[in-house]
Amino acid sequence: MFLISDLCTMLETYLEKEQVEEVYRAYLFGAEAHEGQMRLSGEPYIYHPIAVARILAGLKLDHKTLMAAILHDVIEDTDFAKDQLAKEFDEEVAELVDGVSKLTLIKFESKAEAQAENFQKLMLAMAKDVRVILIKLADRLHNMHTIGIMRPEKQRRIAKETLDIYVPIAHRLGINNIRVELQELGFKALHPQRYKIIKESILKARGNRTEIISKIETSVSERLTNEGIICKVIGREKSLYSIYQKMRSKHLSFSQVFDVYAFRIIVNSVDDCYRAVGIMHNLYKPLPGRFKDYIAIPKNNGYQSLHTVLFGSYGVPIEVQIRTDDMEKVAEAGIAAHWLYKQNDANMARVTANDWLRGILEIQKTSGNSMEFLENVKIDLFPDVVYVFTPTGEIMELPRGATGVDFAYAVHTDIGDSCVAIKIDRHLSPLRTPLETAQTVEIITAPGAKPNPAWLNFVVTGKARTHIRHYLKNLQSDEAISLGRRLLERSLASHALSIEKIPESRTNEFLKSMNINAFENLLQDIGLGNRLPLLVAKQLAARMHPLPLDKISRKKAKHPFAFKRIFSRYAPSWLKQERLKVSPLAIKGTEGVVVNYAKCCRPIPGDSIVGIFNAGKGIVIHIAACSNIQDTKKNPENILELQWEENIAGEFPVEIKIIVSNKKGVLATVASAISGMESNIENVVLNDKDTKFTEMNFLITVKNRKHLANIIRHVRSLDQVKKITRTKG
Ligand code: MN
């Protein structure tokens, strides 16, 4: 039985006295919190956290980690909460325990192989502090040691989870002794029969090997020392699980895998590595094709070593690994983390890996300095991604900053197109909320809902962006066609024509001559401002009348029956008005993306307005008197007469300038006066004019001119306000 006193003895070898006392205090707290609880084995519960702390003490971790290890099940299994731990100990310890509890809450259900990898990543991403993972691994290791007490079915499930999730995580973090132990225990629980057979075979085969191994060891180290190389030669045995895997993957028999003598030679420099391999090849004959230079070309996880296989004098191959002390440390404790190399810049990644490694080495060297330890282990493992759950428990990987809309499009395009709201951890949230790792995200869709152009301001994934743009492009073309139709009808009306009145054959003739494929394309072109409706109408009309209208009127002397002459002579004056002077196009305010409101003058319903054709974009509406368009107005073909439709709903932005005297709280007074008039303030810019006055420029929304006039009147009545005007370009 490993007791708290044993743990303290162990800690005293590398921690300060006060730190050991802190760990003991955590023990007293934990023992009381778990009072009365039992493990399945019938032992008092507190034995488990002590055993977990022992494993971490074996890695020489700092006292905060050990305290958290002892308390690791307190939040999950007792009545104490995180803030109570923070009060009793400190924020750091509470944070670590909380991190472990959160990992415990996620239940891994091995549905798909692909999910296993995401799950590993999720765990690594959730634990912002690597020590949380270390505690979790130690927790799992002890649970695997005591797994025998459980029902066989549960044993298998936990063993599988250990092999699928925890072993790869330990591998990624390079915590090799924990990884190997987890593997062996997992294998034993998952395949007890196979484990037993291999274990017996090893025991049987080991018998006469010991002597041979020590003979080879001696001759190798003598030879190298004679050549002036300082070295350490270590005989090693393969792990049970690795034998099993090799037998399976390479279809080998046990003796083919096991009957190998394996050595590791540790030397002082890279130079010595290459010299040593030369000497070894001289001592024993090398097996062709088995020499590997992982020093020049390191493995993905940063592992470096020279590998070779030799024919010994005992009829059994000898596997040799040669590396320096530093490389040995990488191989043992280093960062076996291929996921770090996922980032594009391999050099950058290696620096990060080395930083991590240095951190590990620092822990071992300067144990006790927990601040330094903290600096070294607090690395952001996945700086650029978040992992979130779907309601069915699938894990989605998204770039950092991704919002509900990104998530919706990641799930399915249709869901993205029709999303209206999201629930984050069951709480309704705005679609633009950035998601955080481990949140559960549910998308609420509505039939007929459409993507919103404003989403483009906050989505971060290419998929969401592309789909929204695609939708808007289609939308723009629909809206352009409908606007184009209205514009063309209006222009045709001045020729006493309409689209319906022109025979299809004439229209097609015209389209062909203009090289346009379809009538809709013509309408879209007009709506987008690429063709002027007046010119198109004129050309279409020319195909209806023997001569264009303007020519009829000019040549009326030569054509006594010309249309206009007859018309003007016999038609009543009201009809003449109606036919020849067509009423301006009405603006409804809901035209969409092809009708834009100029930012220079910000027209609102009630203003007299004109439209300017803007190629590719449709129409831009200006106030008729806007100074920016006076030049354009000289060419009447570019100008479109417009009027507002009656009873327009909607909010229109407008700028107002207010001069106020500098009194305390004046901005708040003015702002609340504006808001009180059912207007939204979108922006305000302040300019101090002098010590007495300040100029405030507000961008507010109004329904129409009347609404604006009411607001102005109301604001003007305030004492502090000296002057208020609407800004128009
Ligand atoms: Mn536990």
Side-chain angles (χ1 to χ4, degrees):
M1 187 61 55
F2 190 81
L3 302 169
I4 181 67
S5 51
D6 301 321
L7 179 68
C8 289
T9 312
M10 204 174 160
L11 296 182
E12 274 157 11
T13 64
Y14 74 97
L15 290 181
E16 304 288 332
K17 194 165 166 280
E18 303 81 62
Q19 295 174 333
V20 180
E21 277 164 11
E22 280 287 277
V23 175
Y24 189 74
R25 199 162 68 83
Y27 159 75
L28 291 178
F29 187 94
E32 206 178 307
H34 288 295
E35 181 68 50
Q37 295 177 350
M38 301 285 174
R39 295 276 284 175
L40 262 187
S41 60
E43 287 174 337
Y45 195 90
I46 191 69
Y47 286 6
H48 162 64
I50 293 176
V52 172
R54 177 200 197 173
I55 293 166
L56 295 167
L59 291 171
K60 295 214 162 103
L61 288 177
D62 68 319
H63 72 290
K64 294 278 169 78
T65 310
L66 291 157
M67 291 165 74
I70 290 178
L71 299 166
H72 80 267
D73 280 327
V74 162
I75 293 181
E76 174 72 6
D77 291 342
T78 78
D79 294 333
F80 290 95
K82 182 186 169 190
D83 50 343
Q84 282 166 296
L85 288 184
K87 217 179 278 167
E88 184 68 31
F89 301 98
D90 62 14
E91 198 57 48
E92 191 180 333
V93 171
E95 203 60 67
L96 288 170
V97 176
D98 190 51
V100 177
S101 309
K102 278 186 180 141
L103 291 189
T104 309
L105 282 178
I106 308 170
K107 295 279 175 275
F108 172 70
E109 270 132 40
S110 187
K111 277 187 231 154
E113 288 297 316
Q115 283 287 297
E117 202 188 329
N118 272 341
F119 203 87
Q120 295 156 23
K121 289 186 192 166
L122 171 73
M123 286 187 66
L124 289 167
M126 271 181 75
K128 292 185 190 96
D129 190 325
V130 177
R131 293 177 298 175
V132 168
I133 298 282
L134 299 181
I135 297 171
K136 194 66 202 160
L137 286 171
D139 178 39
R140 176 51 60 112
L141 182 56
H142 182 246
N143 285 337
M144 287 305 293
H145 273 297
T146 56
I147 199 172
I149 202 95
M150 291 177 170
R151 283 177 288 117
E153 183 199 301
K154 196 168 181 193
Q155 282 194 34
R156 274 195 299 277
R157 185 181 65 74
I158 292 178
K160 187 163 188 326
E161 184 182 279
T162 299
L163 293 175
D164 284 351
I165 309 292
Y166 290 91
V167 165
I169 287 177
H171 179 64
R172 285 174 174 202
L173 296 178
I175 309 158
N176 273 330
N177 47 357
I178 289 188
R179 174 181 63 86
V180 171
E181 232 182 313
L182 284 174
Q183 254 172 359
E184 302 288 282
L185 293 166
F187 177 50
K188 187 179 172 188
L190 195 62
H191 300 295
Q193 211 47 41
R194 299 176 206 183
Y195 179 88
K196 205 174 135 212
I197 292 167
I198 295 177
K199 180 148 196 178
E200 280 165 4
S201 310
I202 291 176
L203 286 175
K204 230 181 275 165
R206 201 183 270 156
N208 55 346
R209 283 166 55 104
T210 332
E211 203 186 329
I212 298 173
I213 287 174
S214 86
K215 268 185 189 165
I216 300 173
E217 224 177 274
T218 315
S219 69
V220 166
S221 86
E222 265 176 13
R223 184 64 175 268
L224 288 171
T225 312
N226 284 346
E227 299 282 344
I229 294 175
I230 300 162
C231 66
K232 204 161 59 187
V233 182
I234 310 156
R236 58 190 187 90
E237 201 169 84
K238 288 193 159 67
S239 82
L240 205 147
Y241 187 69
S242 75
I243 293 170
Y244 169 68
Q245 274 188 322
K246 210 164 215 172
M247 285 170 69
R248 275 194 62 164
S249 65
K250 301 198 171 161
H251 305 288
L252 299 171
S253 69
F254 171 79
S255 56
Q256 279 171 308
V257 177
F258 189 74
D259 285 351
V260 170
Y261 298 128
F263 293 92
R264 185 172 304 154
I265 302 172
I266 311 294
V267 297
N268 284 337
S269 67
V270 174
D271 238 38
D272 283 355
C273 290
Y274 289 102
R275 282 181 60 209
V277 82
I279 294 163
M280 294 309 293
H281 284 179
N282 196 285
L283 183 62
Y284 301 109
K285 204 171 158 218
L287 215 67
R290 296 295 296 275
F291 172 69
K292 300 262 166 57
D293 186 350
Y294 293 121
I295 290 179
I297 303 159
K299 283 193 183 179
N300 275 347
N301 54 20
Y303 173 90
Q304 285 185 299
S305 190
L306 297 177
H307 288 187
T308 188
V309 181
L310 310 163
F311 281 125
S313 42
Y314 307 91
V316 173
I318 304 171
E319 281 180 12
V320 182
Q321 300 172 345
I322 304 171
R323 54 198 183 225
T324 65
D325 220 28
D326 280 351
M327 294 175 196
E328 169 72 357
K329 280 168 186 157
V330 178
E332 287 296 307
I335 178 128
H338 70 260
W339 42 270
L340 263 181
Y341 291 79
K342 215 178 73 180
Q343 293 163 18
N344 294 337
D345 190 343
N347 283 329
M348 278 291 294
R350 205 153 293 148
V351 170
T352 318
N354 284 337
D355 287 346
W356 157 263
L357 170 64
R358 221 173 295 129
I360 299 269
L361 297 180
E362 285 300 318
I363 300 157
Q364 289 163 349
K365 276 187 216 144
T366 61
S367 50
N369 183 348
S370 67
M371 278 322 287
E372 204 168 323
F373 174 80
L374 262 181
E375 292 309 313
N376 286 325
V377 292
K378 270 196 174 166
I379 47 168
D380 198 350
L381 286 165
F382 295 97
D384 303 324
V385 290
V386 293
Y387 296 92
V388 293
F389 291 100
T390 67
T392 56
E394 299 286 309
I395 299 167
M396 308 276 294
E397 180 182 311
L398 293 166
R400 185 161 296 271
T403 62
V405 175
D406 293 293
F407 176 86
Y409 277 103
V411 174
H412 198 279
T413 310
D414 292 345
I415 294 184
D417 280 344
S418 59
C419 67
V420 288
I422 53 164
K423 279 185 180 172
I424 297 176
D425 291 337
R426 295 171 187 219
H427 293 293
L428 217 51
S429 312
L431 278 171
R432 64 187 311 142
T433 316
L435 303 175
E436 280 168 33
T437 284
Q439 288 174 332
T440 298
V441 184
E442 188 185 339
I443 295 293
I444 298 161
T445 58
K450 305 222 161 60
N452 183 335
W455 292 352
L456 286 173
N457 295 329
F458 58 76
V459 296
V460 300
T461 54
K463 190 173 181 195
R465 195 170 292 281
T466 313
H467 281 290
I468 297 166
R469 286 227 177 97
H470 178 75
Y471 171 81
L472 287 178
K473 220 174 154 194
N474 286 341
L475 179 73
Q476 190 195 34
S477 84
D478 287 352
E479 286 174 357
I481 288 169
S482 121
L483 177 68
R485 187 182 299 277
R486 288 174 69 197
L487 290 168
L488 184 61
E489 287 286 21
R490 183 184 152 276
S491 297
L492 283 172
S494 64
H495 296 268
L497 285 171
S498 71
I499 292 172
E500 227 179 28
K501 280 189 198 155
I502 303 172
E504 214 179 305
S505 57
R506 302 281 166 105
T507 313
N508 288 341
E509 222 173 84
F510 171 74
L511 291 176
K512 209 173 161 195
S513 73
M514 300 296 285
N515 222 353
I516 300 172
N517 289 331
F519 189 60
E520 293 218 322
N521 295 358
L522 175 69
L523 296 178
Q524 186 180 344
D525 264 4
I526 295 171
L528 289 174
N530 295 333
R531 287 176 196 279
L532 294 176
L534 282 172
L535 293 181
V536 174
K538 207 187 262 180
Q539 283 160 313
L540 278 171
R543 288 169 193 275
M544 293 292 293
H545 302 292
L547 277 170
L549 266 184
D550 54 342
K551 287 193 182 143
I552 294 174
S553 50
R554 237 181 277 151
K555 295 183 179 176
K556 58 187 169 188
K558 290 182 188 167
H559 296 268
F561 301 108
F563 173 79
K564 197 172 179 181
R565 196 169 156 207
I566 298 165
F567 187 85
S568 52
R569 193 171 293 169
Y570 300 107
S573 64
W574 60 267
L575 184 60
K576 200 163 84 185
Q577 200 88 29
E578 185 69 15
R579 284 271 174 92
L580 293 179
K581 192 165 185 298
V582 176
S583 62
L585 190 76
I587 287 298
K588 302 172 196 153
T590 54
E591 281 79 4
V593 288
V594 286
V595 171
N596 307 284
Y597 300 90
K599 290 206 168 66
C600 51
C601 51
R602 298 199 184 275
I604 59 174
D607 291 336
S608 76
I609 47 171
V610 293
I612 306 287
F613 290 107
N614 191 341
K617 287 186 183 154
I619 297 170
V620 182
I621 301 178
H622 288 260
I623 290 180
C626 176
S627 56
N628 281 348
I629 58 163
Q630 297 314 313
D631 274 354
T632 320
K633 269 172 122 179
K634 286 172 190 155
N635 186 359
E637 271 175 348
N638 290 327
I639 292 281
L640 185 63
E641 295 295 326
L642 297 175
Q643 68 180 29
W644 297 96
E645 196 148 273
E646 274 172 46
N647 301 324
I648 293 179
E651 302 278 320
F652 295 81
V654 66
E655 282 175 56
I656 50 175
K657 184 162 82 183
I658 307 172
I659 310 278
V660 294
S661 51
N662 290 331
K663 284 185 188 141
K664 213 174 162 199
V666 62
L667 176 61
T669 310
V670 173
S672 78
I674 293 172
S675 314
M677 298 292 292
E678 282 176 41
S679 168
N680 289 319
I681 298 169
E682 305 221 314
N683 193 20
V684 57
V685 179
L686 303 180
N687 290 318
D688 286 335
K689 288 192 85 79
D690 49 46
T691 51
K692 274 179 138 181
F693 297 107
T694 298
E695 180 187 300
M696 306 194 286
N697 288 289
F698 278 91
L699 181 63
I700 63 172
T701 61
V702 297
K703 294 185 180 68
N704 49 41
R705 270 174 81 95
K706 202 173 153 217
H707 185 199
L708 178 63
N710 288 340
I711 293 169
I712 288 178
R713 201 177 312 126
H714 182 60
V715 173
R716 190 176 280 140
S717 72
L718 299 172
D719 282 348
Q720 299 95 322
V721 173
K722 297 299 154 215
K723 197 179 168 196
I724 173 166
T725 45
R726 176 180 174 191
T727 318
K728 284 186 257 182

